Amino acid sequence: MSNSERVPVELCKGVNGLDKVVLREVRGSSAEVYLYGGHVTSWKNEHGEELLFVSSKAIFKPPKPIRGGIPICFPQFSNHGPLEPHGFARNRFWSIDTDPPPFPTTSSSKAFVDLILKPSEEDLKIWPHSFEFRLRVTLGPGGDLMLTSRIRNTSTDGKPFSFTFAYHTYFSVSDISEVRVEGLETLDYLDNLQNKERFTEQGDAITFESEVDKIYLSTPTKIAILDHEKKRTFVIRKDGLPDAVVWNPWDKKAKAMADFGDDEYKHMLCVETAAVEKQITLKPVGSLILRGSSRAAKNPILGSKSCTGALLQHVVGA
Ligand code: TA6
């Protein structure tokens, strides 16, 4: 496809006729975002190589969340609360935000889309809080993928609300047993396989030889996934998201998931930028900007003091 044909943003139909937005960057990288779930399902580098994992058995049909890509976990991470696992944002229809408030950072990229989610009457029955969740997905000039969330508490009852959150990213890897994760060494984590008991990680980079489901607490803002076989390193930068979750279901859990292939655990790894240990609290009229790669992080926080400095950002380069 020639550069002239590479329209930066295209709304089109995806699996099962679901609306999706295709983002294309001049040098060849691309990304796809479904309005169903505000869900990134593809991120390709300038060689057209897919960098995210989506299961061959993924179900693109409500109310089932799409298995793979980047599900948005909001307003609850996993079973850390009374709602359905990982909250409801990932199985709701988002809209294109035609009139987003000015974006706090400037990016030269034209390949971005703004989505918005507001609660339905049904949602207010299960989570009685009015909010506006704006998500901007940007494909940067170098092919970096940036997810920026801006959440406003629009309640008129003066009540704050609290939530937990994750960008539940499924990375595509060549062979899980050959992958290392750097940046989480010596940190404390909650082990989801041992009743969320708290442990301290050993000193070396993390490698994989069995099921892993750990919530690392107060991690550095930069984490790397090294895929030796593909000579590829994913660099994840985050701001305002203190925690990071590492998950691989391995063989048994893989077999137990209907929308996941039995052997697919060998080719995926979830490294999720998250706020789990401490809930984020937003007061009404306050808004939280969840964005900002390191350069953007210098921008002032608009919003309530209870979220001081909380830029929830997810930038990945490969
Ligand atoms: O983020 C890790 C985790 O919470 C695991 O415990 C596992 O359940 C995974 O998410 C997938 O959750 P899902 O609800 O998408 O099946």
Side-chain angles (χ1 to χ4, degrees):
M1 183 183 276
S2 71
N3 280 1
S4 59
E5 290 161 317
R6 289 191 65 75
V7 286
V9 184
E10 181 191 359
L11 177 62
C12 54
K13 293 294 180 189
V15 179
N16 295 337
L18 293 173
D19 289 327
K20 71 175 181 181
V21 175
V22 179
L23 303 176
R24 297 187 185 88
E25 203 273 326
V26 282
R27 282 176 239 169
S29 62
S30 67
E32 295 189 2
V33 192
Y34 275 73
L35 271 58
Y36 177 56
H39 201 130
V40 176
T41 56
S42 173
W43 172 39
K44 293 181 178 171
N45 62 19
E46 69 274 20
H47 311 298
E49 297 162 337
E50 182 56 64
L51 303 168
L52 296 177
F53 165 88
V54 172
S55 172
S56 60
K57 297 192 171 180
I59 297 164
F60 286 74
K61 196 165 178 287
K64 186 71 181 161
I66 298 168
R67 177 66 67 192
I70 310 181
I72 304 275
C73 305
F74 173 87
Q76 176 187 297
F77 174 76
S78 190
N79 55 5
H80 292 241
L83 300 176
E84 61 195 290
H86 293 318
F88 53 76
R90 64 177 179 160
N91 56 10
R92 297 291 186 275
F93 283 97
W94 296 55
S95 318
I96 303 260
D97 188 0
T98 51
D99 181 26
F103 203 69
T105 57
T106 51
S107 163
S108 59
S109 172
K110 293 188 178 50
F112 67 86
V113 63
D114 285 298
L115 303 180
I116 186 165
L117 179 71
K118 297 178 182 177
S120 64
E121 289 310 314
E122 290 313 301
D123 296 336
L124 290 168
K125 288 181 191 146
I126 56 170
W127 199 65
H129 306 291
S130 297
F131 65 87
E132 287 173 357
F133 187 144
R134 288 185 166 82
L135 173 68
R136 174 173 288 196
V137 180
T138 306
L139 201 51
D144 285 4
L145 181 65
M146 184 151 61
L147 275 70
T148 309
S149 300
R150 298 185 279 179
I151 301 177
R152 283 171 62 80
N153 177 344
T154 55
S155 306
T156 52
D157 59 7
K159 289 205 186 100
F161 62 61
S162 299
F163 60 93
T164 50
F165 183 96
Y167 293 115
H168 194 303
T169 307
Y170 290 72
F171 291 94
S172 170
V173 298
S174 56
D175 176 349
I176 188 64
S177 60
E178 296 289 326
V179 165
R180 294 158 56 88
V181 173
E182 294 183 351
L184 303 174
E185 303 82 358
T186 73
L187 295 178
D188 280 6
Y189 63 88
L190 307 177
D191 193 335
N192 220 21
L193 303 179
Q194 301 187 60
N195 301 321
K196 299 190 178 76
E197 205 180 322
R198 189 174 184 132
F199 297 91
T200 303
E201 190 57 73
Q202 32 106 32
D204 301 329
I206 298 163
T207 54
F208 303 90
E209 53 198 32
S210 61
E211 180 183 3
V212 171
D213 194 348
K214 296 177 177 178
I215 303 166
Y216 290 87
L217 308 174
S218 306
T219 79
T221 56
K222 189 177 162 191
I223 299 166
I225 303 170
L226 288 79
D227 184 339
H228 297 296
E229 198 171 310
K230 282 195 177 145
K231 298 187 176 41
R232 175 179 293 153
T233 300
F234 291 100
V235 178
I236 304 166
R237 285 190 180 76
K238 62 185 176 106
D239 279 317
L241 289 160
D243 310 320
V245 181
V246 176
W247 179 59
N248 186 291
W250 225 250
D251 53 351
K252 284 200 191 61
K253 278 269 176 62
K255 287 192 177 68
M257 290 189 285
D259 61 347
F260 194 89
D262 292 358
D263 288 339
E264 287 186 331
Y265 71 92
K266 296 175 181 168
H267 306 298
M268 57 70 68
L269 177 65
C270 286
V271 177
E272 311 159 29
T273 50
V276 180
E277 186 186 24
K278 298 187 189 72
Q279 289 194 330
I280 295 176
T281 300
L282 261 191
K283 289 186 175 166
V285 295
S287 69
L288 171 72
I289 295 184
L290 317 179
R291 67 155 209 297
S293 59
S294 46
R295 79 177 174 282
K298 295 189 189 65
N299 282 277
I301 305 294
L302 301 175
S304 73
K305 66 177 176 39
S306 44
C307 297
T308 44
L311 303 178
L312 302 181
Q313 150 89 71
H314 184 90
V315 176
V316 197

